[in-house]
Amino acid sequence: MTVGWNMLAYPSSSVYPLSGVPMNLHRPQYDITVGGTVEGLSGDAAAGLLLHPYVGTPPVTPLYDGPLDGASWSISLSGPPPADHRLDSSADLALEQPLAYLDQAPTGFDGGDTGYSYACFHRAPVYLQWYATDDFSVAFSQLLYGMGAGWTAAVATSGSLSPLDLTDYTSLVADGSCM
């Protein structure tokens, strides 16, 4: 099986209606928008929002780093992340985490800046996961957890990621509760 459309032949003695197949789990999600609010951030410095890669050491370029104007924020991504954001060179898997921070010199996240809070959903940290694979066992294991190909927003619970409902993608809160 590969990313994208595949055909599976069922035994001729059984008929399965297409409506029973959760097709949204099989279609890669190449675009994602997440957002929410930042609460309780105070200080004399300007605030910023960073999409921090789970792996890599500086100077990995973040997928997003911009000023925070007010309490609301939104990040939109399209397409796969660059290779230096992947968990390892053999996997097409990446994790990104939105982080609100105090920007001491309004030039983007750099040395001297202070992280304030990761984006959370019900006090659980939120990750943006990207994966695309031609390996059936990897795809199947991801689908068991409800993680479709492409981008998915998920929360870390009990050592694994659980996907958020699409309606919750723009209800994230950076309030210092899951730093």
Side-chain angles (χ1 to χ4, degrees):
M1 298 194 57
T2 63
V3 173
W5 289 105
N6 294 279
M7 179 172 274
L8 180 63
Y10 288 102
S12 60
S13 61
S14 302
V15 176
Y16 297 91
L18 187 59
S19 62
V21 179
M23 293 303 290
N24 61 325
L25 290 178
H26 303 289
R27 294 186 185 125
Q29 180 66 38
Y30 292 107
D31 301 313
I32 189 170
T33 298
V34 294
T37 59
V38 174
E39 298 173 4
L41 184 64
S42 62
D44 296 331
L49 191 72
L50 171 74
L51 193 55
H52 183 269
Y54 185 75
V55 297
T57 56
V60 172
T61 302
L63 296 182
Y64 181 87
D65 185 2
L68 184 63
D69 186 21
S72 297
W73 61 272
S74 175
I75 296 174
S76 295
L77 299 175
S78 182
D84 61 348
H85 285 247
R86 310 290 166 85
L87 291 179
D88 65 54
S89 60
S90 65
D92 200 0
L93 177 66
L95 290 173
E96 306 286 329
Q97 199 169 18
L99 170 70
Y101 67 93
L102 290 172
D103 196 355
Q104 298 300 325
T107 56
F109 192 77
D110 52 27
D113 293 340
T114 307
Y116 170 67
S117 178
Y118 288 112
C120 309
F121 185 76
H122 296 293
R123 298 187 178 265
V126 172
Y127 295 86
L128 304 185
Q129 175 183 285
W130 165 271
Y131 95 89
T133 184
D134 290 337
D135 184 308
F136 176 75
S137 62
V138 173
F140 185 73
S141 67
Q142 291 290 323
L143 288 173
L144 285 175
Y145 293 102
M147 304 293 281
W151 287 109
T152 305
V155 293
T157 55
S158 304
S160 64
L161 292 178
S162 300
L164 287 174
D165 188 273
L166 286 172
T167 60
D168 295 325
Y169 277 24
T170 55
S171 301
L172 310 181
V173 178
D175 63 1
S177 66
C178 64
M179 183 62 185

